[in-house]
Amino acid sequence: MNGILDSIGSAITTVSDFVCGYPLFILLIGGGLFLFFYSGAVSLCRIGYSIKALRYKSEVAGEGQISSFQALMSAIASTVGMGNIAGVAIAITVGGPGAIFWMWVSAVVGMSTKFFEGALAIMYKGHDSAGEPQGGTMYIILHGLGERWKPFAYFFAVVGLIGTLCVMQANQLVESVTTVFTTPAGIENTLGLRFVMGIVISLVVGAVIIGGIRRISVISAKIVPVMVTCYMLLVFVILCLNFDKLPGVLASIFQSAFSLEAGIGGILGTALTGARRAAYVNEAGVGTASMMHGASRNDNPIREGLVAMIGPAIDSGLVCTLTAFPILIAGNYASEGGIKGLYIALNSFEQLLPGYGHYLLMVMVFFFAFSTMFSYSYYGLKCTNFLFGAENAKYYNYFYLVMIVVAAMIPLGAVVAIMDLAFALMALPTMTSLLLLAPRVRRKMKEYFAN
């Protein structure tokens, strides 16, 4: 069985490496850079407006199910997940410390992309077969670009069913439990054990997602600020205990990012690694944010866009940096026998906080993983709603829960490849629609900032 799974994983990885190479880099980072400059560097020049927009309370005029704050917290819940721990470790292992610098760059670029996603999600809302207001890339394409682009909207919804199955979260959560608890206790890491863990995870997730977006958003609004703050405090303790190593860590990030010894190819390779992992973490240009912000009651597209662009600043900017510093301080990120992202992170925290570091990180892992799985279910539900109608969307949750069990048993290499490939395919219609409709957003920007 393991041999078959390894063969499938190898084939998926080969396809993913081809699709998710420089074409994805150009699409997300190149397209994001265009939106960054086209918007007048909105992610840098208008960050103050974002905070003001987040505090705006009057949202009674628009159609939707949740507030802008709940939409942002739910979107962050989906992005501040295992990718912020395992994904960062993988980026450092593959691309070196310099990959973190390019994750920072991707965060700034991603903020601009998320701005356009959030704005267009409000500008081009649609209604499902039950008459409920809906938003997302498929509705942006359908109502913003017109009927002739309808196949593109359906394409996004189809690949979205795969890209939002949170396989990374379930897989890495199981790996963390086996690494910290079962293996040290002498329990063999068998396929059966991972199956049982997958069942338990799916039951916990099912208890939340059955309540729909309102329950998901309420829970996210409560746990996201708490879990990010707790993670900050944990890493702050580590930095205080290892303050003398911090200058060297910062130097290694910049030296590796622009290493002349590695040549242009090495720099591009490091940048590509960091950008790919950041794309998975902040999901800017992938289309998930537009689905969540499309549920907002906010009736002003620019104000929603300003709220949406806070997301990458928190996930790719803040939380990924919090993970990177302990890993780089510990220095044990060379991979042997395959990429084991979470294993590297757990070992680093344990090395820096002997006796309890990996247990403290495990607490964060549980929060991160489950919060992401809660929100991801909504994305797949929206895609199902669009494809098969509101009356059939409820069946998606059962499929989603079954796939959590499957994800708990497949190899990590295949997990990373599946997510990269699905996200690349989701990004194609999303970035295309953002670039084509950008002039309409800029006209709205001029009106908004003129007042």
Side-chain angles (χ1 to χ4, degrees), residues 30-95:
L33 281 171
F34 170 80
L35 294 174
F36 173 80
F37 290 110
Y38 190 73
S39 65
V42 64
S43 57
L44 295 179
C45 300
R46 304 293 186 179
I47 190 65
Y49 285 88
S50 292
I51 305 302
K52 183 179 179 181
L54 187 61
R55 298 169 60 185
Y56 190 84
K57 298 296 183 182
S58 179
E59 298 180 9
V60 296
E63 292 184 304
Q65 298 84 26
I66 58 179
S67 68
S68 289
F69 177 76
Q70 289 175 325
L72 176 64
M73 290 300 103
S74 299
I76 291 176
S78 71
T79 55
V80 177
M82 296 300 297
N84 296 86
I85 299 177
V88 171
I90 291 172
I92 295 174
T93 299
V94 176

Side-chain angles (χ1 to χ4, degrees), residues 178-197:
T178 57
T179 299
V180 177
F181 297 110
T182 60
T183 300
I187 302 175
E188 186 179 356
N189 183 17
T190 63
L191 201 62
L193 176 63
R194 298 176 76 90
F195 172 76
V196 172
M197 291 182 184

